Amino acid sequence: MERQAGGRAAGGHLQAMKNIGENLFIVILAFYPLRHVQWGLDLMDTGYNYANYTYMGTEHMDPMWLFSTWLSNAAGHLLTKLPGGGTLVGMNIYTALFVSLLAVLCYLFCTKKLNIRPWTAFLGEMAAVSLCWCPTALLYNYMTYVLFTGCFILLYYGLTKDRKGYLIAAGVCLGANVLVRFSNLPEAAMILAVWFYDFLWDREEKQENRRKSENSQKPEGFWRKLFRHTGWCLLGYLAALFVLLGMIHIRYGLGEYAAGITRLFAMTDTATDYRAVDMVRNMLRDYTENFYWLIRMGAFLAAGTALALFAGLLKIKGRAAGMVKRIVQAACIALAALMAGWLYYRDSEGLRVPFCTLDFCDYASMRRPGILFLMLTIFIAAIRVFHPKSRKEDRLLGSMLILVIFLTSIGSNNRTYPSINNLFIAAPYTLQACFAFLSRYRDKKISRVTIPVFPVKCILSAFLIICCIQFTGFGIKFAFAEATGVRDISAGVDNNEILKNVKMSEEKAQWMSSVTAFVKENGLQGQEVILYGTPLTLAIPSLSYYLQMPAAFNPWINLPSYSYEVMEADLHELGEETPVVLLENASALYAEGGRQALAEAGMNESAAEAVAEDKKLRLILNFMEQHGYVQTFRNEKFSIYQCETD
């Protein structure tokens, strides 16, 4: 009795320790996404989105982007009303919580439903969060991931438990996602997973019935089940669209919405990378280009496998066999280490680009390992889908993961980057499969030939170690700013409430301090502004948010998706209004002295040509000339112009 009581006490203690560990994992996953909320000043994407949230509406936003990302803009607008929502750090915290939600939700799903071990799920979620290169300010991305993941989980529960409530809710998630970002429409292809599972269920039921007597109850037919499941999903999808479009109709009118979405389809004339064909082609190009590395890694694997096969053919027995085995294993480990070293090796005259670098402030540190990790996930999922002994639940899971990886990148012009940013279920799934293979899989004998597995384990282990180093380093060091990583956070700005407690470079701090002082001294806060950066290179839409100056019509005029014709019409609609004009200095130099001024400033010929030939810039300069604008402020980066009569 005492021994049993002691065993129960020990078991209870172990369970308590396990619960503490799992709760600690959840706490870490909740707070890890907040690690960089004070890092860096981004003049482009971050402040642009926060400006749209702050000044949401057709008055200060491009209607095309307002309506194509309406639900994310509405959510961001609500965040600006919360305590601290009027500061950059406060908004970074609120938007980062969407990543926290993703990490915790997927950790619980992986551990509770998919039976992935807690520490494996934790490592996977940490890797997924570390690979979130996109600034959290872009809620149209992170709300997409949240709702897409919600759909994934609800579909899995709904199909495996045959619950209509889950299927309706999954449809609601996808329907709402169309209003988060209109280009999420292709996510409706998740219905393929529903049809695939129903097909598997029907085949399994028929096989089961053959084993039973003819008097057994006849199961529900395939087509009836398929239409029932599809109908529940469609009901939720249409219900979400009906409710959200109704809200838009009440606030703006469906005519305004239709006009904005119509322009979205037309923008591919100027923003060609948003064409459906180009988006798919660019995504697939990443995978095909990565075969360069996969083939060379395969060469190391082939060498190790050939060595192991040769040793097996020698038919050595006794102590010598053990020695030969250890020699072969040591050689395979050496080959894996050599492969890892080769992948890090950079030769400017040989390889065009490295597989990865140790500069963790750059995308190159994680990009190619990330794409190869996606390929590994697709490979593992495909094996589960097509393996004849796989359970239908495992096949469903594999098919859904493949769909998520491909669909996440469709609708974006960022190639495979969005899929790398959305590995919250894929990363734990892949790690679990890899760890299971490394710990359990043994050599397989086929027709008297033993196929060695140890070389595969060595190469896979080397790749996973590389991923661990690269993903961890990237997660710790990388913070987004102007589409690159932040490298200097040694200074701050004291006179700008929006930028309070933000760490940035000394140079940016000087730019922002001086322009903020001028704006405050001259009472320009709250006045409308036209912002224009260097054509084709650096835009400055974030200044609308940082300086608390709403855009006259669109804060990011540089975007190719914002056409010249629309800009011309927007300027014409201003009539006699004369908003403040704020130019990045390359544009300002051209305004003052043409190409000669750009050449004297040291700008290279191609960049100077881009400035001189920029039609949008000429529109702004013509507008300024017509209304008698004069320069009232200039620092090392920005120039401000105001109408003389103001």
Side-chain angles (χ1 to χ4, degrees):
M1 293 292 291
E2 290 180 1
R3 185 176 299 175
Q4 290 179 353
R8 286 195 296 270
H13 179 70
L14 289 174
Q15 184 61 40
M17 293 298 293
K18 180 181 178 182
N19 292 338
I20 291 173
E22 291 189 25
N23 290 333
L24 180 61
F25 286 161
I26 290 173
V27 171
I28 294 173
L29 291 174
F31 283 94
Y32 181 56
L34 308 180
R35 66 199 181 282
H36 293 152
V37 293
Q38 292 180 281
W39 280 26
L41 185 78
D42 174 29
L43 300 177
M44 295 170 64
D45 296 81
T46 301
Y48 166 67
N49 283 276
Y50 290 156
N52 286 339
Y53 305 155
T54 304
Y55 307 115
M56 180 185 175
T58 54
E59 183 180 359
H60 303 299
M61 287 182 67
D62 182 352
M64 179 181 70
W65 288 118
L66 169 65
F67 293 122
S68 63
T69 57
W70 177 77
L71 191 55
S72 57
N73 289 320
H77 184 68
L78 289 176
L79 294 180
T80 64
K81 306 300 181 182
L82 298 178
T87 66
L88 179 59
V89 171
M91 286 298 292
N92 283 345
I93 291 173
Y94 289 135
T95 55
L97 291 177
F98 283 85
V99 183
S100 301
L101 174 62
L102 273 167
V104 172
L105 177 65
C106 292
Y107 171 82
L108 293 173
F109 174 67
C110 289
T111 55
K112 305 302 181 186
K113 186 61 179 176
L114 302 184
N115 296 319
I116 296 176
R117 286 172 294 185
W119 67 271
T120 304
F122 173 72
L123 291 177
E125 296 305 331
M126 288 293 286
V129 176
S130 295
L131 288 173
C132 287
W133 58 271
C134 179
T136 58
L138 278 65
L139 285 182
Y140 59 78
N141 280 336
Y142 286 99
M143 285 185 68
T144 289
Y145 304 150
V146 168
L147 290 173
F148 203 8
T149 300
C151 169
F152 185 108
I153 294 172
L154 290 165
L155 271 184
Y156 188 83
Y157 274 102
L159 292 171
T160 56
K161 294 179 178 292
D162 197 17
R163 301 282 182 83
K164 68 178 181 181
Y166 287 124
L167 296 177
I168 293 172
V172 168
C173 287
L174 285 192
N177 238 359
V178 176
L179 276 300
V180 169
R181 188 178 65 184
F182 191 79
S183 56
N184 288 336
L185 271 174
E187 291 176 3
M190 286 297 286
I191 199 66
L192 294 174
V194 177
W195 299 344
F196 179 60
Y197 183 80
D198 286 343
F199 166 76
L200 295 174
W201 171 88
D202 181 67
R203 191 177 65 171
E204 188 176 286
E205 286 293 314
K206 288 178 179 177
Q207 291 173 349
E208 184 68 24
N209 283 337
R210 291 192 190 102
R211 301 189 196 103
K212 296 180 180 179
S213 65
E214 295 181 0
N215 297 326
S216 60
Q217 185 178 358
K218 188 176 180 180
E220 181 181 11
F222 165 68
W223 290 107
R224 183 175 178 181
K225 195 177 190 74
L226 183 143
F227 283 121
R228 183 164 59 85
H229 285 168
T230 304
W232 292 130
C233 293
L234 186 60
L235 175 63
Y237 191 88
L238 295 177
L241 287 178
F242 179 79
V243 171
L244 294 173
L245 287 175
M247 295 171 64
I248 292 175
H249 175 62
I250 293 171
R251 176 66 179 84
Y252 302 101
L254 285 181
E256 287 281 332
Y257 177 79
I261 298 302
T262 301
R263 268 192 54 213
L264 184 70
F265 285 103
M267 80 170 184
T268 54
D269 294 337
T270 52
T272 56
D273 51 350
Y274 276 102
R275 291 174 182 165
V277 173
D278 289 316
M279 286 189 289
V280 174
R281 183 190 295 122
N282 291 334
M283 175 187 66
L284 295 178
R285 185 182 300 153
D286 278 356
Y287 293 115
T288 54
E289 287 178 354
N290 231 42
F291 272 105
Y292 172 91
W293 304 101
L294 190 60
I295 291 170
R296 282 150 182 80
M297 292 170 72
F300 286 96
L301 174 60
T305 303
L307 183 63
L309 285 171
F310 176 74
L313 293 174
L314 294 177
K315 304 294 183 183
I316 300 174
K317 297 182 180 180
R319 289 186 177 181
M323 183 178 296
V324 170
K325 182 179 180 180
R326 286 191 289 272
I327 291 173
V328 170
Q329 289 178 342
C332 290
I333 293 171
L335 277 171
L338 182 64
M339 180 198 76
W342 178 79
L343 290 173
Y344 280 105
Y345 174 71
R346 286 175 287 171
D347 177 9
S348 59
E349 295 181 359
L351 303 176
R352 291 180 300 165
V353 286
F355 180 73
C356 55
T357 73
L358 294 175
D359 179 7
F360 296 117
C361 292
D362 191 274
Y363 294 116
S365 62
M366 66 80 179
R367 174 157 176 70
R368 297 186 182 279
I371 296 173
L372 201 54
F373 193 87
L374 289 174
M375 296 171 73
L376 179 61
T377 303
I378 293 169
F379 175 72
I380 293 170
I383 290 177
R384 298 278 176 85
V385 169
F386 295 108
H387 197 286
K389 294 184 179 180
S390 292
R391 299 181 310 138
K392 62 179 182 296
E393 292 81 6
D394 292 333
R395 292 184 172 190
L396 170 66
L397 183 62
S399 64
M400 292 172 69
L401 279 169
I402 293 172
L403 283 170
V404 166
I405 288 174
F406 284 114
L407 292 174
T408 298
S409 291
I410 296 176
S412 168
N413 63 342
N414 288 318
R415 302 171 72 162
T416 53
Y417 277 112
S419 296
I420 293 173
N421 209 131
N422 187 24
L423 288 171
F424 293 92
I425 294 178
Y429 173 88
T430 304
L431 290 181
Q432 182 203 37
C434 290
F435 294 157
F437 174 81
L438 292 172
S439 62
R440 300 174 194 168
Y441 208 81
R442 299 290 180 263
D443 292 352
K444 194 166 185 178
K445 196 168 186 178
I446 302 176
S447 301
R448 298 183 181 181
V449 178
T450 300
I451 305 299
V453 175
F454 190 77
V456 182
K457 291 184 176 182
C458 290
I459 297 300
L460 178 60
S461 297
F463 173 66
L464 292 177
I465 291 170
I466 290 172
C467 287
C468 179
I469 294 170
Q470 298 307 121
F471 296 171
T472 301
F474 184 79
I476 292 172
K477 293 286 292 181
F478 183 86
F480 184 96
E482 287 91 58
T484 61
V486 172
R487 296 183 181 276
D488 182 4
I489 51 170
S490 59
V493 176
D494 296 326
N495 62 344
N496 190 309
E497 292 77 14
I498 298 289
L499 302 180
K500 185 178 180 181
N501 299 320
V502 176
K503 298 177 181 179
M504 65 190 79
S505 67
E506 185 69 38
E507 184 180 41
K508 285 187 175 180
Q510 292 175 358
W511 297 344
M512 293 309 302
S513 292
S514 60
V515 73
T516 298
F518 177 83
V519 167
K520 281 186 171 182
E521 290 168 5
N522 291 272
L524 299 184
Q525 288 180 329
Q527 291 193 31
E528 291 189 340
V529 64
I530 296 174
L531 298 161
Y532 200 71
T534 304
L536 305 179
T537 53
L538 178 65
I540 53 173
S542 288
L543 293 188
S544 171
Y545 177 65
Y546 300 152
L547 300 177
Q548 301 175 59
M549 300 176 70
F553 39 81
N554 185 343
W556 201 333
I557 299 173
N558 292 70
L559 285 174
S561 56
Y562 181 70
S563 69
Y564 174 87
E565 292 75 18
V566 174
M567 179 179 170
E568 187 176 34
D570 285 339
L571 280 171
H572 180 73
E573 284 184 15
L574 288 177
E576 296 303 314
E577 295 180 36
T578 53
V580 177
V581 175
L582 196 158
L583 302 179
E584 197 273 335
N585 267 343
S587 297
L589 281 171
Y590 180 76
E592 295 166 11
R595 294 194 186 191
Q596 181 65 31
L598 297 175
E600 292 175 357
M603 181 175 286
N604 65 59
E605 187 175 341
S606 61
E609 181 74 14
V611 175
E613 298 298 323
D614 188 71
K615 295 168 63 178
K616 291 181 181 177
L617 177 59
R618 289 204 294 272
L619 264 183
I620 294 174
L621 298 182
N622 290 338
F623 176 82
M624 291 166 57
E625 184 178 357
Q626 291 172 10
H627 292 84
Y629 276 78
V630 295
Q631 187 180 83
T632 56
F633 170 83
R634 183 171 182 177
N635 64 13
E636 295 81 0
K637 189 63 177 177
F638 313 116
S639 294
I640 292 179
Y641 299 84
Q642 294 173 267
C643 183
E644 285 185 299
T645 58
D646 289 348

